[in-house]
């Protein structure tokens, strides 16, 4: 059974979807994401806060753009939790 | 400093030189928060009208209300407002302002901004683009100071081309070593390496960070100084070749390379060392023909050797401790110097009297330093005890977009013991609710034995925090 989980911004600030302007995004749609993987950064008062996935699953995409202002608790991305057949046995 | 009246002699001199009355009519303050309010105060004293510029997040801020005029710049992100040079220049043109005060941070050390102001015929209250560029390039600054015979941290002034070269040079200097970005500052792009392997490991990452933060990946090496004290000298230079100092500030209470408490005078310097620091600072600024106020930062090692670290070509956050002890309004000096005035004070007029201690109140967790934006639901400050340079009042919202510092508390006493006791009373009297602040950390520092004795190094805060963990 598949379940969609949301990833929310834990703090307000400016969101960055790539480690630095000249690097690729942390994650792309369809990527397999492990628990603890960094998916974005939020800049808050000149500090950077890493947003990590709390789930394992297929990354379904961001709901915000690079550089957007986000609020605490705002959903920023979705992840599809795949409960494999093997696991269910 | 007494208002804006010129003594008759000065007036005559000015007339003889054919100077116009040199004060500005209107100044744009290209900054926000407490420093914008601080600049407004001096402008009011000098009968200069003020223009605040602001972002979405700051539309209800105190500095916007207190300025005579306010121009909206744009979105909350600094790049859409406070860092947008074009918009700030337009604000100055639109309001027919004569000058722009950049405060500290944001565009204060942006050579391009200074240059554009000059091209547009608006006075930039600070040094020329050329000087900002020179001192902003840490390798170039080291070379200039070396020429002026100002001691610099032992190291290598060249731009490192490769890991291999870094390893060879590091071997010559000796480990531990600091790898630093030439365009850096504030601890960004700075890495300490204890061994050859560590240096090899951090080199690329540090270079990349410098490239992405500053657009310049030039790196150099400095010897690591153990248990350093961070002491800086406030200098003042006019456009007529006069240079003087306003004594020193002790800035060794730091967390993550950010100052937390500063004092004037330093409690740890001998008079002999103090004089040497002043002489070196003056020699350094004369070497580069510096103009306006600035700060020469030094580190002092365990054996009282001192080394030039960097120069800040702007007003410093911690300038109030100097003002309290010398009685000089540093913002007023900045404005007068930018207007071409000759200094009407000499070194002999500058007397350090008493002792001042400042702490920075920050919206952050006191022990993890994690930022804590939000609404200040309650703020009550003890009256007539200390100087408060605050950005906020009760009901203000601390937005997540800018620095976490929301105010400064400056205590003054006839001696250090008094100043410290007053500071501690002020800490107890501050009631602030709604956000976390570093007040518990500041309180802990104030109670620390080493701090009380006045001989501490930049390791003080981490030492206190380690004890904190052990006690839990």
């Amino acid at each position: 059974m598949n379940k969609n989980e949301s990833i929310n911004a834990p703090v307000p600030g400016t969101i960055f979807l790539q480690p630095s302007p000249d690097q690729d995004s942390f994650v792309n749609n369809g990527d397999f994401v492990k628990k603890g993987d960094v998916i974005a950064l939020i800049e808050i008062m000149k500090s950077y806060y890493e947003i990590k996935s709390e789930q394992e699953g297929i990354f379904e995409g961001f709901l915000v753009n690079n550089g957007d202002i986000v609020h605490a608790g705002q959903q920023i991305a979705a992840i599809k939790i795949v409960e494999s057949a093997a696991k269910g046995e | 400093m007494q208002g804006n009246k010129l003594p008759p002699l000065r007036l005559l001199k000015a007339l003889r030189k054919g100077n116009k009355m040199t004060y500005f009519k209107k100044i744009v303050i290209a900054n926000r928060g407490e420093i914008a309010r601080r600049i407004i105060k001096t402008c009011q004293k000098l009968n200069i009208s003020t223009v605040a510029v602001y972002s979405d997040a700051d539309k209800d801020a105190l500095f916007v209300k207190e300025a005579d005029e306010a121009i909206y710049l744009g979105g909350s992100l600094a790049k859409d407002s406070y860092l947008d040079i074009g918009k700030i220049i337009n604000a100055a043109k639109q309001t027919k302002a004569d000058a722009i005060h950049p405060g500290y941070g944001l565009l204060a050390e942006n050579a391009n901004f200074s240059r554009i102001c000059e091209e547009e015929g608006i006075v930039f209250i600070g040094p020329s683009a050329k000087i900002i560029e020179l001192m902003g390039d840490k390798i170039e600054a080291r070379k200039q100071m070396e020429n002026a015979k100002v001691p610099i941290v032992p190291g290598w002034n060249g731009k490192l081309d490769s890991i291999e070269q870094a390893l060879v040079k590091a071997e010559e200097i000796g480990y531990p070593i600091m790898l630093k970005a030439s365009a850096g500052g504030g601890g960004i792009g700075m890495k300490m390496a204890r061994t050859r392997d560590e240096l090899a490991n951090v080199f690329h990452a540090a270079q990349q960070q410098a490239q992405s933060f500053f657009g310049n990946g030039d790196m150099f090496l400095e010897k690591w100084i153990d248990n350093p004290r961070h002491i800086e000298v406030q200098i003042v230079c006019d456009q007529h070749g006069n240079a003087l100092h306003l004594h020193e500030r002790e800035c060794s209470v730091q967390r993550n390379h950010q100052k937390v408490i500063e004092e004037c005078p330093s409690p740890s310097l001998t008079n002999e060392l103090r004089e040497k620091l002043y002489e070196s600072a003056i020699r350094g600024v004369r070497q580069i023909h510096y103009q306006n106020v600035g700060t020469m930062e030094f580190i002092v090692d365990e054996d009282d050797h001192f080394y030039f670290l960097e120069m800040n070509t702007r007003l410093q956050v911690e300038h109030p401790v100097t003002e309290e002890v010398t009685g000089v309004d540093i913002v007023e000096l900045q404005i007068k110097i930018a207007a071409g005035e000759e200094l009407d004070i000499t070194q002999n007029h500058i007397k350090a009297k008493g002792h001042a201690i400042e702490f920075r109140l920050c919206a952050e967790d006191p022990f993890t330093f994690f930022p804590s934006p939000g609404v200040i639901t309650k703020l009550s400050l003890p009256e007539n005890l200390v100087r408060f340079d605050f950005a906020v009042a009760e009901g203000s919202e601390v937005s997540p977009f800018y620095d976490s510092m929301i105010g400064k508390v400056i205590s003054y006493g006839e001696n250090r013991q008094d100043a410290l006791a007053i500071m501690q009373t002020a800490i107890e009297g501050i009631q602030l609710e709604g956000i976390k602040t570093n007040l518990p950390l500041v309180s802990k520092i104030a109670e620390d034995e080493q701090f009380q004795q006045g001989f501490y190094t930049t390791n003080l805060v981490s030492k206190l925090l380690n004890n904190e963990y052990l006690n839990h």
Side-chain angles (χ1 to χ4, degrees):
Chain A
M1 203 178 82
N2 295 343
K3 200 170 87 186
N4 267 334
E5 286 273 338
S6 63
I7 299 176
N8 300 336
V11 290
T14 313
I15 192 158
F16 295 102
L17 310 183
Q18 53 211 74
S20 70
D22 48 2
Q23 281 176 279
D24 291 338
S25 301
F26 287 103
V27 279
N28 292 302
N29 293 3
D31 281 358
F32 182 72
V33 176
K34 293 194 299 294
K35 212 170 158 174
D37 281 357
V38 176
I39 64 151
L41 293 176
I42 292 183
E43 184 184 0
I44 168 175
M45 290 175 165
K46 294 185 189 165
S47 302
Y48 288 92
Y49 185 93
E50 289 182 338
I51 303 178
K52 292 176 181 164
S53 176
E54 290 173 2
Q55 311 273 3
E56 203 170 281
I58 307 294
F59 192 72
E60 292 275 86
F62 286 105
L63 301 167
V64 292
N65 295 314
N66 191 47
D68 276 1
I69 294 167
V70 296
H71 304 285
Q74 183 182 334
Q75 188 185 350
I76 55 161
I79 186 168
K80 195 200 287 173
I81 315 296
V82 186
E83 289 183 23
S84 65
K87 233 178 179 178
E89 275 170 15
Chain B
M1 291 254 108
Q2 299 286 317
N4 61 344
K5 283 185 202 140
L6 286 170
L9 183 66
R10 287 279 311 119
L11 192 61
L12 279 174
K13 255 193 188 167
L15 287 171
R16 267 206 303 274
K17 281 185 186 155
N19 287 355
K20 297 181 294 237
M21 274 304 285
T22 39
Y23 289 91
F24 305 114
K25 286 196 182 69
K26 196 185 274 184
I27 290 177
V28 168
I29 299 161
N31 215 298
R32 55 178 302 284
E34 69 87 19
I35 199 61
R37 298 184 76 197
R38 164 72 192 85
I39 296 162
I40 291 170
K41 261 194 196 127
T42 290
C43 288
Q44 285 171 344
K45 189 175 84 175
L46 299 174
N47 288 321
I48 296 171
S49 37
T50 51
V51 181
V53 291
Y54 66 97
S55 68
D56 281 326
D58 280 334
K59 63 181 192 304
D60 297 320
L62 297 173
F63 74 91
V64 177
K65 290 175 192 148
E66 287 167 358
D68 297 311
E69 291 170 74
I71 301 286
Y72 169 74
L73 292 179
S76 300
L77 300 183
K79 71 173 173 59
D80 299 329
S81 45
Y82 301 107
L83 292 177
D84 189 326
I85 295 176
K87 284 180 180 170
I88 292 167
I89 297 285
N90 280 341
K93 286 184 172 170
Q94 191 187 329
T95 55
K96 298 192 168 58
D98 316 292
I100 297 181
H101 195 306
Y104 55 67
L106 298 171
L107 294 172
E109 287 174 293
N110 185 312
N112 199 30
F113 184 48
S114 173
R115 186 173 295 118
I116 291 171
C117 287
E118 205 174 306
E119 285 165 5
E120 297 285 345
I122 303 161
V123 176
F124 174 80
I125 302 178
S128 67
K130 215 177 107 195
I131 289 176
I132 296 175
E133 240 156 34
L134 192 66
M135 290 291 106
D137 180 335
K138 305 298 168 197
I139 294 177
E140 197 50 48
R142 278 173 62 88
K143 288 179 183 164
Q144 291 286 342
M145 291 308 124
E146 213 169 23
N147 289 343
K149 303 212 162 21
V150 174
I152 56 174
V153 182
W156 192 65
N157 294 345
K159 291 170 188 163
L160 296 167
D161 296 326
S162 61
I163 292 190
E164 291 71 29
Q165 192 191 21
L167 293 174
V168 170
K169 295 296 165 192
E171 213 62 55
E172 289 171 20
I173 301 161
Y175 291 95
I177 204 149
M178 286 297 272
L179 178 65
K180 289 185 166 186
S182 185
I188 295 165
M190 203 160 88
K191 288 266 184 285
M192 194 261 252
R194 285 184 192 80
T195 61
R196 206 184 147 79
D197 284 352
E198 277 186 18
L199 179 59
N201 280 337
V202 297
F203 188 82
H204 274 309
Q207 198 175 31
Q208 253 177 19
Q209 197 189 20
Q211 185 65 45
S212 82
F213 264 91
F214 311 112
N216 177 346
D218 291 345
M219 307 299 289
F220 67 103
L221 291 168
E222 274 183 2
K223 188 167 174 50
W224 168 258
I225 308 279
D226 231 0
N227 284 316
R229 281 168 284 155
H230 189 127
I231 293 168
E232 58 189 30
V233 178
Q234 176 71 57
I235 60 92
V236 182
C237 306
D238 66 14
Q239 299 179 13
H240 307 274
N242 300 304
L244 45 89
H245 69 79
L246 299 180
H247 299 264
E248 81 284 6
R249 290 182 289 258
E250 167 81 57
C251 305
S252 303
V253 182
Q254 302 186 357
R255 60 109 181 123
N256 299 348
H257 305 292
Q258 295 291 316
K259 296 164 189 165
V260 182
I261 297 180
E262 303 95 352
E263 15 185 349
C264 175
S266 161
S268 74
L269 289 185
T270 61
N271 279 336
E272 192 195 343
L273 183 54
R274 181 170 278 127
E275 288 303 324
K276 276 192 199 160
L277 273 172
Y278 297 159
E279 276 168 38
S280 292
I282 296 282
R283 246 195 341 267
V285 294
R286 284 204 181 279
Q287 168 76 22
I288 56 168
H289 304 288
Y290 191 77
Q291 279 173 18
N292 216 300
V293 314
T295 296
M296 292 281 282
E297 295 196 337
F298 294 93
I299 51 176
V300 181
D301 73 10
E302 290 171 303
D303 302 317
D304 271 1
H305 295 121
F306 67 89
Y307 310 99
F308 167 81
L309 201 57
E310 61 178 26
M311 180 173 193
N312 296 131
T313 55
R314 53 167 165 85
L315 183 65
Q316 205 87 339
V317 175
E318 58 273 22
H319 75 278
V321 289
T322 303
E323 294 186 323
E324 293 304 306
V325 166
T326 60
V328 171
D329 179 336
I330 296 177
V331 175
E332 183 178 341
L333 283 181
Q334 285 191 296
I335 294 171
K336 286 182 170 178
I337 291 169
E341 287 275 301
E342 191 172 346
L343 284 171
D344 55 2
I345 40 172
T346 64
Q347 193 63 63
N348 290 334
H349 290 102
I350 310 292
K351 297 270 184 274
K353 190 173 164 288
H355 196 99
I357 308 179
E358 169 188 282
F359 70 84
R360 303 184 185 193
L361 189 63
C362 296
E364 65 185 23
D365 183 283
F367 303 112
T368 64
F369 315 133
F370 194 75
S372 175
V375 175
I376 299 177
T377 51
K378 182 183 169 72
L379 178 62
S380 148
L381 302 173
E383 278 171 35
N384 303 324
L385 187 65
V386 289
R387 167 173 165 183
F388 291 106
D389 282 16
F390 265 46
V392 295
E394 189 168 291
S396 294
E397 186 178 353
V398 180
S399 81
F401 303 108
Y402 315 109
D403 197 90
S404 63
M405 193 184 80
I406 54 172
K408 305 181 301 207
V409 179
I410 306 105
S411 67
Y412 176 82
E414 278 182 29
N415 53 45
R416 186 170 189 266
Q417 208 180 346
D418 284 2
L420 187 53
I422 292 166
M423 171 174 140
Q424 286 179 292
T425 313
I427 292 171
E428 283 162 24
I430 295 175
Q431 291 176 293
L432 194 154
E433 289 168 18
I435 55 166
K436 282 190 200 175
T437 74
N438 63 341
L439 209 52
L441 174 66
V442 173
S443 175
K444 211 168 230 333
I445 297 167
E447 286 164 13
D448 178 71
E449 203 184 311
Q450 227 182 352
F451 182 75
Q452 294 211 340
Q453 283 168 358
F455 201 99
Y456 51 85
T457 72
T458 56
N459 299 329
L460 181 75
V461 173
S462 49
K463 187 203 77 182
L464 275 175
L465 293 180
N466 284 336
N467 288 348
E468 182 77 7
Y469 283 117
L470 292 176
N471 289 340
H472 279 295

